Amino acid sequence: MKKGLLTGLLLFGFFFGAGNLIFPPSLGLFSGEYFWPAIAGFILSGVGIPIITLIVGATSNGSFKHELETKVHSVFAVAFLAILYLSIGPFFAIPRTATVSYSISIQPFESALASMGISGTLSLFIYTVLYFAAAYWIAIHRSTILNSIGKILTPLFAGLILVLVLLGAIKYAGVAPMQAATAYQNGGSFGNGFIEGYNTLDALASVAFCVVAVNTLKKFHFSSKEEFTKTIIGVGLVTAVGFSILYLGLANLGNHFTVPADVLADNAVNKGSYILAAASKDIFGVFGQVFLGAMVILTCFTTT
């Protein structure tokens, strides 16, 4: 049980990043009265598909590369996995973790930084260098990765998010959702929720992360294949439950938080980021931005 729990926390920290944090509040906002079909679709593609992929990949006799080589072609296997790793790495997911965490935690203070002669471009550059330097340090200290992410960072940022969504659920319980966006009406709520869940990229990332799960679990020296399989399933359940709870809480926050009309009309504003920032400030006052900044940096950092 302990083996599965620790590995589940590790994988949860890897999976839960920038998109996982800002997509659910936005989904909750725009789904309006069609909240439940939308969040069901989101959880199906954002939790169900990744966890099934993780379990299948970790318990199969060969790796995904081996399966693709034997059932399709070796060239296809290499090309597919190369594109996949680039997509969940340097092309999309990794840059998104740095920019999202900066936009929520540092960007609100750009005016103060400007008064000290630090431009927005310079502050972004400094932040990015420090952010990826810290990520690199954890990556090269592989022996401590389970302790640093699985035992410390993951419970910490999960706790921060839970505090926000629980207090938000209490504070905004009486606020009615806004009317659903056109895309979520006429039976489109489930489908749009499904697409938003897929956009987290976790369905793709699970192909890579199943290797992490297997390599981590090998260190526990299982006595049998049956014990290994049960632990993998336990890992999947731990990760699935954690994701589902946080997704539901974040989406519910977005569903009941009132967003001003001018913000809704401004396409340049990321609605998920806005809801998180505004709700944190509303709930925690002057400490809101500090709280949110810590939460977002931890969330994005563990994925990177």
Side-chain angles (χ1 to χ4, degrees):
M1 181 65 181
K2 182 180 179 181
K3 300 172 184 177
L5 179 61
L6 289 177
T7 309
L9 289 173
L10 174 66
L11 289 171
F12 182 84
F14 281 151
F15 275 121
F16 203 84
N20 310 79
L21 190 60
I22 63 176
F23 288 161
S26 179
L27 174 83
L29 172 68
F30 290 114
S31 61
E33 65 271 27
Y34 300 104
F35 173 80
W36 289 108
I39 193 61
F42 189 96
I43 290 176
L44 177 61
S45 62
V47 179
I49 294 177
I51 297 306
I52 292 173
T53 303
L54 175 69
I55 293 174
V56 170
T59 57
S60 63
N61 293 326
S63 63
F64 276 109
K65 182 175 182 293
H66 173 75
E67 295 293 329
L68 290 171
E69 286 175 339
T70 56
K71 296 178 180 178
V72 185
H73 194 275
S74 59
V75 175
F76 174 82
V78 173
F80 175 82
L81 292 174
I83 294 172
L84 184 147
Y85 274 88
L86 289 172
S87 298
I88 64 174
F91 283 177
F92 297 106
I94 290 179
R96 185 169 68 184
T97 61
T99 55
V100 168
S101 59
Y102 173 84
S103 66
I104 296 178
S105 60
I106 306 297
Q107 196 171 43
F109 302 102
E110 280 189 348
S111 58
L113 293 172
S115 65
M116 296 185 290
I118 302 175
S119 66
T121 302
L122 179 59
S123 63
L124 175 59
F125 174 77
I126 294 173
Y127 175 83
T128 303
V129 170
L130 294 176
Y131 179 90
F132 285 114
Y136 175 75
W137 183 87
I138 281 189
I140 62 175
H141 290 79
R142 297 182 64 87
S143 61
T144 63
I145 195 169
L146 184 60
N147 287 329
S148 61
I149 294 180
K151 292 183 179 179
I152 301 173
L153 292 183
T154 298
L156 181 57
F157 84 71
L160 290 173
I161 297 171
L162 279 175
V163 170
L164 176 62
V165 299
L166 287 174
L167 293 179
I170 296 171
K171 186 176 181 64
Y172 308 119
V175 179
M178 76 169 203
Q179 183 178 359
T182 303
Y184 288 87
Q185 299 177 14
N186 302 318
S189 56
F190 181 85
N192 275 279
F194 188 92
I195 293 172
E196 287 297 301
Y198 188 81
N199 284 340
T200 63
L201 298 180
D202 286 340
L204 299 178
S206 58
V207 175
F209 291 159
C210 72
V211 177
V212 177
V214 171
N215 290 338
T216 302
L217 289 172
K218 282 180 179 178
K219 299 177 182 179
F220 294 132
H221 305 294
F222 291 95
S223 58
S224 65
K225 176 70 174 179
E226 181 182 359
E227 183 188 5
F228 176 81
T229 301
K230 288 182 178 179
T231 303
I232 284 292
I233 294 174
V235 168
L237 291 175
V238 169
T239 309
V241 170
F243 268 122
S244 299
I245 291 173
L246 293 184
Y247 281 157
L248 186 60
L250 287 167
N252 181 70
L253 178 66
N255 192 243
H256 292 279
F257 187 81
T258 302
V259 177
D262 60 325
V263 175
L264 284 173
D266 189 350
N267 293 328
V269 176
N270 183 292
K271 306 306 185 292
S273 298
Y274 174 84
I275 291 170
L276 288 172
S280 294
K281 185 177 181 180
D282 187 39
I283 293 172
F284 300 105
V286 294
F287 299 103
Q289 195 59 54
V290 175
F291 174 87
L292 180 67
M295 180 179 70
V296 172
I297 290 174
L298 285 173
T299 302
C300 295
F301 182 68
T302 53
T303 301
T304 306

